[in-house]
Amino acid sequence: MVAYLGWILTWQGHGGGDLATPWWQWWLVSLALVGADTGLAIVKEKTKFDVVIEDVPNNLRILGIKAVRALTSLALKEAKELIEGLPKKFKEGVSKDEAKEAKKQLEEAGAKIAIV
C-alpha cells in the first residue's frame, strides 16, 4: 500500500496529478465502507419491557391470581381471565426494574414468566 502511494506521489510530479485524485476518492470511500461493516454504530439499550405470563400450574392458579391482583388494579374476574388464557402480556412498556419486580413476585406464586 505504501509503495502504491509512493508511486502515485511520484507520478503526480510528472504530470499525473489527475491520477492521484481518483485514488484518494476510492480510498476514502473504501474506509467509509469498512467502518460501516465493522459495526461501529451505537446501539441503544432497550428501556421498555413487556412481562409475559407463559404458564401457571393448575394447583397454583389461586396464588397466581392473587399475585396479579397485588401487582395491578384488576378485579378478581379480570385477573382470573388473565391467568386462564395464557400466554398473555401482563404488563407492557414498563421499566427494567418494574419488570424484574413483577417477574419475581409472579414466580414466587408459581408462574412461569418471560420478559420481552
Side-chain angles (χ1 to χ4, degrees):
M1 187 66 145
V2 175
Y4 186 66
L5 179 60
W7 179 78
I8 288 177
L9 293 177
T10 56
W11 185 265
Q12 189 175 14
H14 294 15
D18 57 339
L19 182 63
T21 302
W23 184 83
W24 282 110
Q25 288 174 351
W26 173 83
W27 174 255
L28 294 174
V29 168
S30 64
L31 281 178
L33 292 175
V34 168
D37 282 345
T38 57
L40 296 176
I42 298 173
V43 178
K44 291 185 178 182
E45 185 176 339
K46 188 175 178 179
T47 57
K48 300 292 181 185
F49 298 89
D50 297 336
V51 180
V52 178
I53 302 175
E54 293 181 342
D55 187 36
V56 177
N58 287 333
N59 59 343
L60 299 174
R61 292 216 183 243
I62 293 174
L63 292 176
I65 292 169
K66 287 182 181 180
V68 167
R69 291 194 66 208
L71 291 168
T72 64
S73 60
L74 292 177
L76 179 61
K77 181 180 177 184
E78 287 86 17
K80 183 179 176 187
E81 288 173 357
L82 182 101
I83 293 294
E84 289 175 352
L86 297 177
K88 279 194 180 175
K89 286 185 182 178
F90 171 66
K91 289 192 173 217
E92 295 183 50
V94 296
S95 68
K96 188 175 186 177
D97 293 334
E98 189 177 346
K100 284 184 178 182
E101 183 62 31
K103 179 179 179 178
K104 178 183 167 191
Q105 289 184 18
L106 289 166
E107 284 180 341
E108 287 175 357
K112 190 175 183 182
I113 306 299
I115 296 178
V116 184

